[in-house]
Amino acid sequence: LCRALVSSFGTVVGRDEIASAGWPDGSPGRNALDVHMLRLRRRVQSVGLTIRTVRSRGYLLDQAAPGAGGRSESRQETDDDQ
């Protein structure tokens, strides 16, 4: 999952492309991808990155805004997935 996002840093990567990268033998259920993306979001925050959901398109890995971070930003990103 991370490799698909890093190789397209700053551009939107579709859910299908991310799913294919993480599960080459078959597509995971929607919930499995969402859970893994949430875990990845939490991990990349510590290095100053953020994963944003782009509605109807996919996900975007980008630099976190200066001074941004903490649980409130993480919660906001999670809300975008629903």
Side-chain angles (χ1 to χ4, degrees):
L1 304 179
C2 191
R3 184 177 297 155
L5 290 167
V6 169
S7 66
S8 299
F9 187 85
T11 60
V12 177
V13 181
R15 286 181 64 89
D16 292 339
E17 184 177 343
I18 291 173
S20 295
W23 292 269
D25 295 331
S27 183
R30 180 175 180 84
N31 188 49
L33 180 58
D34 292 342
V35 168
H36 280 74
M37 291 304 293
L38 175 61
R39 290 177 180 167
L40 188 55
R41 274 190 173 111
R42 291 177 179 164
R43 289 179 185 246
V44 301
Q45 280 182 341
S46 65
V47 293
L49 298 173
T50 186
I51 298 173
R52 293 190 294 136
T53 300
V54 180
R55 181 169 273 180
S56 300
R57 294 190 55 210
Y59 297 96
L60 177 120
L61 177 67
D62 206 356
Q63 290 183 332
R71 291 184 60 87
S72 62
E73 182 180 79
S74 175
R75 186 70 209 146
Q76 179 184 7
E77 292 291 331
T78 304
D79 291 342
D80 290 347
D81 282 341
Q82 296 177 359

